[in-house]
C-alpha cells in the first residue's frame, strides 16, 4: 500500500518494516508529500490500523525510485497476525465476472481479504508456513504475487482454479457425489430440506433452509440444541432487510471486512421460521464472507441457518475426517475442501446498542488483533475463567485476546484452550513471565495455571477482573466505581458474588455495595431450574408464610424448603443473574431452562415500557458495606403477582427498579469516595435495556460511564482484565524491589 501510494504521487524513497513499526522515507514535491501524508490514513487498506504517526524532516538522500527494503529478521519479534477477512468488493466482482480467470472460484482472495489467522501454522507469515504450502502457484498467480503494483502482491493464500484448493461433495457415509456443478447440487439438497456441513474459514458450519420448519427441527434434534437461537446467513443485505431492520452502523459491521453476526431487530414483510429464535426480538444475522458462501447463497437465493458444526458446547470442527466422524449423525451431506484449517475460530457475535457495536462473542475477524493498553510490562498470560472462555497474552502495550474458546467443562474445549495458548505464544513469539488466573480453585483454567510450575502465578477475584477489563479497554488509570453484574464468580469472602458495586483500580478493589446474600439451594445445580431459585428466594423473604404463587402448583417443595431451613448445601450468593432467574420464574417465565440464561432473557424480552413505578428499593448499611435488600423486593413482586400483574408488567417494573436502585447506589459511592468514573461489566450487561438505561441514568448525574466495546461484557472479557491486573502487579513488585 505504501509502495503503491508513493509511486502514485511520484515520490522517491523507501519503506522498511521493523520491530516497532514502519519507517517511510519520501522525497518529492511538497504538495505530493502532503497528499501522501493524508492518504496514508484515508486510503489505508480495510484492516490497517495506524496507532501513531510521527513525521520528521531529514536531509535529502537523493533517492532515484521508491522501493521496499527487506526487513531485518534479527529484530526482536513484533509480528502481528491478521484476523481472517471477509471477501473484498474487488474479489467479489471478479468472482461473478464470467470473463475473469477466477470466475466462480471458491478460494479467490487478495491482500485485502481472505484467510489469515486460521491458516497460519507458524511464523514468519509466509506461504510455506501456512495451509497454502501444499499448493504451488501457477506462473500467472506467481506473477501477481511478485508484482508490487498488483492487488495480490504477497497475498499468501493467492490461488486460482489451475493451482489452488478445490471443493467436493460427499454423503454422510463419505461416498463422493460426482456432479459437475457442486454449488447447484448443494443448493438443491438444501431446497430438499437436507442438512449440509460446510467447511468454512475457521471451521465447519451446519446449514439448512431457514424457511423450512421441519429441516430446522431436524437440525436442532440432531445437534442436541433444543431452543438456543440460531444465526441466519442472507444472500445479501437487501434480502436481509426484508426480514430485519438494519441500522447504518449494523450494515457497516455486516458488510465490513470483519463481517460478524449482528443481532438485528426482527421486522419486515418476510420471516424465517419462528423456531430459529423463539421469543426473541432480535435475530442473529450474517452475510456471506467467503467466496464459497457467496456462490452457495446466490444459488440458493434464500436465507440459510448457519450454525457452528459441533455437538452442543463442544468446539467447532475444522478437519475433514474429524467432521465426517463427529458429524456423521448430524449432517446429511458435506461440502469439503482441501485447504487445511490450523486454528478454529467461531463467528464473532455483536450487538449494536447504546450507541456502539458491542461484542457478545469474540471470534473470526477480530482475533488475534491486539487491544492497546495504557501501559506496558513484561509479557503476561491470562487464562480467563471457566465459561465462554478466552485467553489473553500481552506484549508491551498490546493485549492479544483469543477467539471464543467455549465452556471449559468438556475435554475438547480444554484441549482447544491449551492449543490456543501454545499457538499464540508461538506465532506471536511471546514468552510470558507471569500467569494470571481466576481465584476459583476448581476452574480448569486455574488448575492448568497451577501446573505451570516454571512461572509465577497471580490469582485474581472474578469481579476484580471484570472491573479491570472495562477499565483497560477504555485506558482508564484512576480508580473507578464498577457496577459488576453477572451470574457466578467467587468473591473475596468465598461467597458467590454477582451483584456488586465495587470501587478500585487494577491494584485492588473495595466492595461498596452488593445485592443481599441469599441462600442458593443446591448451588450451581439450581441454575437449571429457576423455579427452585424462585421458591428459595420467596421462602427466605417470607419466613414461614410463603405465598402460593401459580408457579408453585404441583411442585415438590419440601426438599428445597428443608435445604433453606437447615442451610444444607446452600451457598450464599449476591448474584444478579440468580435474582433475574428468581423473578422470571415467579412471574411466569420458564421454570426449567434449556440453555444458559433462558429465564432471565425471557424476562428482559417481555420488557416494553420503563415509565412505570419501581418496586421497593431498600439500601441498608452493614459494616463498611451497603446492602441492596432483595427480600423486600421479592415480597413486593409476590404481592404484585397476587394482585394480578402479568409477566410484562413485572418485567417492566423490575427493570425500572434495577436502573433506579443501581444508579442510587452509584451516586452514594460517588458522594462518599469522590470517584466520578463508572464502569459497567459482567454478563448481565448483555441485557440491553439495563445497559442503555443505566448508562444514560448515570451520565445524567454528571458522571463518566463506560461499557464494553472491544471484549465481551461476559466472562469472555475476563482474560483482558486479568492481564491488566497482572501488569499492575508486575510494576508494583518491580517498584518494591527498587
Ligand atoms: Zn480481495
Ligand atoms: Zn494459479
Ligand atoms: Fe463473570
Amino acid at each position: 500500500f505504501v509502495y503503491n501510494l508513493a509511486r502514485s504521487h511520484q515520490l522517491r524513497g523507501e519503506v522498511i518494516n521493523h520491530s516497532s513499526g514502519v519507517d517511510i522515507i519520501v522525497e518529492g514535491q511538497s504538495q505530493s508529500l502532503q497528499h501522501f501524508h493524508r492518504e496514508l490514513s484515508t486510503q489505508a487498506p480495510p484492516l490497517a490500523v495506524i496507532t501513531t504517526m510521527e513525521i520528521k524532516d531529514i536531509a535529502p538522500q537523493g533517492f532515484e525510485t521508491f522501493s521496499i527494503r527487506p526487513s531485518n529478521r534479527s529484530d526482536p519479534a513484533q509480528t502481528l497476525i491478521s484476523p481472517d477477512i471477509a471477501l473484498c468488493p474487488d474479489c467479489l466482482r471478479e468472482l461473478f465476472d464470467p470473463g475473469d480467470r477466477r470466475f466462480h472460484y471458491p478460494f479467490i482472495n487478495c491482500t485485502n481479504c481472505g484467510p489469515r489467522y486460521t491458516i497460519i501454522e507458524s511464523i514468519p507469515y509466509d506461504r510455506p508456513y501456512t495451509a497454502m504450502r501444499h499448493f504451488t502457484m501457477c506462473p500467472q498467480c506467481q506473477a501477481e504475487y511478485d508484482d508490487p503494483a498488483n492487488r495480490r502482491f504477497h497475498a499468501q493464500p493467492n490461488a486460482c482454479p489451475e493451482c489452488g484448493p478445490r471443493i467436493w461433495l460427499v454423503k454422510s457415509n463419505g461416498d463422493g457425489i460426482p456432479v459437475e456443478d457442486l454449488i447447484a447440487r448443494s443448493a438443491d439438497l438444501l431446497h430438499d430440506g437436507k442438512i449440509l456441513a460446510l467447511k468454512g474459514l475457521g471451521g465447519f458450519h451446519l446449514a439448512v433452509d431457514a424457511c423450512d420448519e421441519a429441516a430446522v427441527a431436524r437440525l436442532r434434534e440432531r445437534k442436541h440444541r433444543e431452543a438456543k437461537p440460531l444465526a441466519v446467513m442472507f444472500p445479501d443485505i437487501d434480502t436481509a432487510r426484508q426480514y430485519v431492520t438494519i441500522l447504518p452502523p449494523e450494515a457497516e459491521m455486516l458488510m465490513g471486512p470483519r463481517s460478524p453476526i449482528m443481532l438485528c431487530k426482527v421486522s419486515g414483510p418476510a420471516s424465517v421460521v419462528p423456531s430459529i429464535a423463539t421469543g426473541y426480538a432480535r435475530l442473529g444475522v450474517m452475510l456471506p464472507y467467503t467466496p464459497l458462501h457467496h456462490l452457495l447463497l446466490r444459488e440458493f437465493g434464500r436465507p440459510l441457518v448457519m450454525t457452528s458444526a459441533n455437538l452442543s458446547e463442544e468446539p467447532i470442527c475444522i478437519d475433514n475426517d474429524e467432521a465426517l466422524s463427529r458429524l456423521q449423525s448430524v449432517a446429511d451431506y458435506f461440502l469439503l475442501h482441501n485447504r487445511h484449517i490450523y486454528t478454529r475460530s467461531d463467528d464473532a457475535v455483536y450487538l449494536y446498542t447504546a450507541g456502539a457495536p458491542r461484542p457478545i462473542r469474540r471470534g473470526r475477524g477480530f482475533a488475534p488483533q491486539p487491544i492497546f493498553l495504557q501501559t506496558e510490562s513484561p509479557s503476561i498470560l491470562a487464562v480467563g475463567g471457566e465459561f465462554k472462555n478466552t485467553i489473553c497474552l500481552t506484549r508491551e502495550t498490546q493485549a492479544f485476546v483469543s477467539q471464543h474458546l467455549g465452556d471449559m467443562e468438556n475435554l475438547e474445549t480444554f484441549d482447544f484452550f491449551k492449543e490456543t495458548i501454545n499457538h499464540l505464544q508461538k506465532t506471536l513469539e511471546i514468552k510470558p513471565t507471569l500467569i494470571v488466573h481466576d481465584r476459583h480453585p476448581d476452574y480448569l483454567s486455574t488448575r492448568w495455571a497451577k501446573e505451570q510450575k516454571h512461572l509465577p502465578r497471580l490469582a485474581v477475584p472474578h469481579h476484580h477482573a471484570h472491573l479491570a477489563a472495562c477499565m483497560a479497554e477504555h485506558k482508564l488509570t484512576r480508580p473507578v466505581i464498577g457496577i459488576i453484574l453477572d451470574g457466578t464468580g467467587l468473591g473475596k469472602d468465598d461467597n458467590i458474588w454477582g451483584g456488586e458495586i465495587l470501587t478500585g483500580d487494577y491494584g485492588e478493589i473495595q466492595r461498596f455495595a452488593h445485592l443481599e446474600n441469599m441462600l442458593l439451594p443446591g448451588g450451581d445445580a439450581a441454575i437449571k431450574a429457576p423455579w427452585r431459585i424462585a421458591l428459595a428466594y420467596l421462602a427466605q423473604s417470607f419466613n414461614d408464610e410463603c405465598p402460593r404463587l401459580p408457579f408453585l402448583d404441583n411442585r415438590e417443595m419440601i426438599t428445597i424448603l428443608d435445604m433453606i431451613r437447615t442451610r444444607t448445601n446452600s451457598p450464599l450468593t449476591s448474584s444478579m443473574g440468580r435474582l433475574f432467574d428468581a423473578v422470571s420464574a415467579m412471574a411466569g417465565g420458564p421454570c426449567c431452562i434449556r440453555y444458559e440464561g433462558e429465564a432471565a432473557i425471557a424476562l428482559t424480552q417481555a420488557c416494553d415500557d420503563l415509565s412505570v413505578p419501581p418496586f421497593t428499593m431498600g439500601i441498608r448499611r452493614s459494616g463498611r458495606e451497603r446492602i441492596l435488600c432483595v427480600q423486600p423486593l421479592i415480597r413486593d413482586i409476590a404481592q404484585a403477582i397476587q394482585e394480578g400483574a402479568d409477566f410484562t408488567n413485572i418485567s417492566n417494573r423490575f427493570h425500572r427498579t434495577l436502573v433506579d436502585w443501581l444508579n442510587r447506589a452509584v451516586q452514594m459511592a460517588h458522594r462518599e469516595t469522590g470517584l466520578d468514573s463508572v464502569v459497567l461489566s459482567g454478563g448481565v450487561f448483555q441485557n440491553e435495556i439495563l445497559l442503555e438505561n443505566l448508562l444514560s441514568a448515570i451520565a445524567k448525574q454528571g458522571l463518566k460511564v463506560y461499557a464494553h466495546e472491544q471484549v465481551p461484557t461476559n466472562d469472555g472479557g475476563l482474560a483482558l482484565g486479568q492481564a491488566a491486573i497482572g501488569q499492575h502487579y508486575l510494576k508494583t513488585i518491580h517498584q518494591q524491589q527498587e
Side-chain angles (χ1 to χ4, degrees):
F1 163 67
V2 171
Y3 173 89
N4 286 322
L5 189 65
R7 302 268 289 217
S8 75
H9 290 292
Q10 282 86 45
L11 297 173
R12 299 170 307 279
E14 58 183 20
V15 53
I16 315 115
N17 239 326
H18 60 81
S19 62
S20 49
V22 176
D23 279 349
I24 305 166
I25 302 174
V26 275
E27 296 179 0
Q29 299 294 323
S30 69
Q31 206 184 2
S32 306
L33 288 170
Q34 279 168 20
H35 286 162
F36 175 79
H37 173 210
R38 191 175 55 233
E39 288 167 20
L40 267 182
S41 329
T42 59
Q43 310 277 307
L47 279 193
V49 181
I50 300 174
T51 50
T52 55
M53 180 151 47
E54 274 174 48
I55 298 172
K56 254 191 254 169
D57 283 330
I58 56 170
Q61 317 263 301
F63 288 100
E64 288 180 357
T65 58
F66 193 90
S67 61
I68 301 171
R69 227 170 73 186
S71 42
N72 188 352
R73 285 297 306 163
S74 63
D75 269 358
Q78 271 296 347
T79 347
L80 289 180
I81 295 169
S82 165
D84 303 280
I85 307 159
L87 192 71
C88 75
D90 291 330
C91 288
L92 179 62
R93 213 171 302 119
E94 290 173 356
L95 180 65
F96 289 105
D97 173 3
D100 193 275
R101 69 187 190 94
R102 293 188 179 87
F103 177 61
H104 281 190
Y105 180 55
F107 301 93
I108 185 172
N109 69 82
C110 71
T111 38
N112 293 327
C113 74
R116 299 286 187 275
Y117 178 45
T118 55
I119 61 162
I120 295 172
E121 191 187 13
S122 65
I123 48 157
Y125 174 51
D126 273 333
R127 194 157 168 129
Y129 305 100
T130 70
M132 292 305 293
R133 68 160 171 262
H134 307 293
F135 305 97
T136 309
M137 276 184 277
C138 68
Q140 263 181 298
C141 286
Q142 186 69 48
E144 295 167 336
Y145 182 91
D146 292 334
D147 174 8
N150 194 285
R151 208 173 87 237
R152 299 194 164 91
F153 175 59
H154 279 202
Q156 303 304 347
N158 189 27
C160 78
E162 288 302 311
C163 64
R166 61 182 189 86
I167 55 170
W168 66 95
L169 184 65
V170 301
K171 291 184 199 160
S172 60
N173 63 9
D175 288 350
I177 300 179
V179 287
E180 185 74 9
D181 192 339
L182 294 166
I183 299 294
R185 183 57 177 273
S186 301
D188 286 346
L189 292 167
L190 289 163
H191 275 297
D192 289 345
K194 301 291 190 239
I195 299 173
L196 181 69
L198 183 72
K199 190 172 178 180
L201 265 185
F204 276 76
H205 277 123
L206 292 165
V208 292
D209 185 349
C211 299
D212 182 339
E213 188 69 77
V216 174
R218 204 157 42 240
L219 173 67
R220 283 200 178 280
E221 192 193 309
R222 292 197 197 161
K223 202 181 137 130
H224 307 300
R225 181 159 165 150
E226 225 181 318
K228 200 169 166 187
L230 299 163
V232 174
M233 186 180 277
F234 293 87
D236 50 61
I237 195 149
D238 292 328
T239 313
R241 287 188 201 279
Q242 299 177 355
Y243 297 77
V244 291
T245 302
I246 301 178
L247 303 172
E250 292 172 332
E252 201 179 302
M253 292 288 282
L254 283 167
M255 301 183 63
R258 303 170 194 282
S259 189
I261 297 174
M262 291 300 300
L263 302 174
C264 298
K265 284 209 171 115
V266 175
S267 76
S271 60
V272 295
V273 301
S275 66
I276 288 174
T278 311
Y280 274 79
R282 289 184 185 265
L283 178 68
V285 172
M286 57 179 147
L287 294 181
Y289 56 82
T290 70
L292 187 57
H293 293 151
H294 280 282
L295 292 169
L296 183 62
L297 270 289
R298 197 170 280 202
E299 180 75 27
F300 187 68
R302 289 213 305 258
L304 282 176
V305 166
M306 282 275 208
T307 178
S308 303
N310 53 9
L311 288 173
S312 288
E313 301 299 323
E314 289 177 10
I316 189 167
C317 286
I318 52 172
D319 183 75
N320 288 347
D321 294 334
E322 174 199 18
L324 278 167
S325 71
R326 270 170 68 192
L327 302 172
Q328 195 175 38
S329 56
V330 183
D332 301 308
Y333 294 89
F334 291 74
L335 190 54
L336 303 174
H337 65 66
N338 56 347
R339 188 178 68 199
H340 190 68
I341 301 171
Y342 282 113
T343 301
R344 313 168 198 269
S345 195
D346 270 302
D347 297 311
V349 182
Y350 267 70
L351 170 67
Y352 179 83
T353 186
R358 301 176 191 276
I360 301 289
R361 181 168 82 186
R362 189 173 166 87
R364 174 194 47 78
F366 296 86
Q369 192 160 308
I371 291 163
F372 287 88
L373 302 171
Q374 183 64 32
T375 56
E376 55 183 86
S377 75
S379 289
I380 291 166
L381 167 63
V383 295
E386 177 85 340
F387 303 103
K388 299 186 168 69
N389 206 22
T390 63
I391 61 114
C392 176
L393 279 159
T394 68
R395 186 175 66 195
E396 297 174 359
T397 57
Q398 300 163 337
F400 299 92
V401 179
S402 74
Q403 70 275 36
H404 166 82
L405 303 175
D407 296 347
M408 301 277 286
E409 53 203 358
N410 64 60
L411 196 62
E412 288 78 4
T413 308
F414 186 49
D415 287 342
F416 183 22
F417 163 84
K418 290 182 285 189
E419 259 168 54
T420 305
I421 290 173
N422 284 333
H423 188 66
L424 281 175
Q425 284 185 11
K426 187 167 86 172
T427 50
L428 295 167
E429 295 182 277
I430 294 176
K431 286 200 177 65
T433 57
L434 174 73
I435 299 187
V436 190
H437 60 86
D438 196 277
R439 193 175 165 268
H440 201 302
D442 298 332
Y443 284 179
L444 272 182
S445 54
T446 303
R447 291 194 193 167
W448 181 87
K450 287 184 177 167
E451 284 165 15
Q452 313 310 305
K453 307 267 188 234
H454 60 293
L455 283 177
R457 287 185 295 111
L458 177 67
V460 168
H462 189 95
H463 299 88
H464 189 187
H466 273 305
L467 174 135
C470 196
M471 284 182 72
E473 71 164 71
H474 292 285
K475 296 193 171 73
L476 304 180
T477 48
R478 309 254 297 264
V480 297
I481 300 168
I483 310 184
I484 315 298
L485 308 177
D486 67 357
T488 299
L490 190 64
K492 280 168 141 184
D493 59 1
D494 286 343
N495 290 329
I496 304 171
W497 289 16
E500 315 303 316
I501 293 178
L502 307 173
T503 58
D505 54 18
Y506 304 111
E508 61 172 353
I509 45 165
Q510 308 289 331
R511 201 184 193 195
F512 179 82
H514 62 91
L515 284 183
E516 180 175 3
N517 278 328
M518 300 294 279
L519 294 165
L520 185 64
D524 283 345
I527 294 168
K528 295 224 161 72
W531 76 266
R532 295 180 190 208
I533 305 171
L535 172 59
Y537 279 35
L538 269 176
Q540 290 168 78
S541 305
F542 280 92
N543 292 325
D544 285 336
E545 313 120 69
C546 182
R548 297 297 298 234
L549 297 180
F551 83 98
L552 290 170
D553 290 350
N554 305 316
R555 296 278 177 206
E556 180 51 69
M557 294 161 52
I558 305 286
T559 322
I560 305 290
L561 294 176
D562 275 352
M563 284 168 89
I564 296 292
R565 200 164 33 76
T566 57
R567 299 191 152 222
T568 315
N569 187 19
S570 299
L572 285 170
T573 184
S574 59
S575 162
M576 182 61 86
R578 297 298 82 77
L579 181 59
F580 263 89
D581 289 342
V583 173
S584 180
M586 271 170 69
C591 279
C592 291
I593 58 168
R594 296 163 296 178
Y595 58 91
E596 188 228 334
E598 189 183 356
I601 290 164
L603 189 65
T604 302
Q605 292 288 319
C607 182
D608 60 5
D609 177 16
L610 286 194
S611 59
V612 290
F615 294 116
T616 303
M617 300 180 283
I619 301 182
R620 69 177 152 81
R621 213 180 239 284
S622 164
R624 294 175 58 190
E625 296 179 346
R626 302 292 201 297
I627 310 294
L628 308 187
C629 307
V630 170
Q631 296 188 12
L633 169 67
I634 295 287
R635 288 196 290 270
D636 243 18
I637 294 174
Q639 191 186 342
I641 294 168
Q642 283 178 314
E643 287 165 6
D646 65 7
F647 194 56
T648 298
N649 184 280
I650 298 292
S651 172
N652 290 340
R653 294 187 62 193
F654 180 61
H655 282 87
R656 170 84 270 153
T657 307
L658 292 184
V659 172
D660 293 353
W661 208 13
L662 293 165
N663 185 30
R664 196 177 281 183
V666 161
Q667 300 309 326
M668 291 168 90
H670 164 62
R671 279 196 302 274
E672 280 183 35
T673 61
L675 301 176
D676 59 3
S677 292
V678 183
V679 297
L680 310 184
S681 188
V684 170
F685 285 110
Q686 291 173 120
N687 178 331
E688 53 178 312
I689 294 170
L690 201 56
L691 178 69
E692 238 173 84
N693 287 282
L694 206 48
L695 280 173
S696 71
I698 294 169
K700 246 182 233 162
Q701 304 285 329
L703 304 183
K704 289 189 285 292
V705 54
Y706 305 88
H708 287 282
E709 294 171 31
Q710 296 198 63
V711 293
T713 192
N714 58 47
D715 286 2
L718 281 179
L720 178 67
Q722 292 173 345
I725 291 169
Q727 279 197 324
H728 178 91
Y729 170 80
L730 287 180
K731 211 170 295 169
T732 317
I733 292 202
H734 186 68
Q735 281 164 356
Q736 281 167 356
Q737 282 168 349
E738 281 174 358

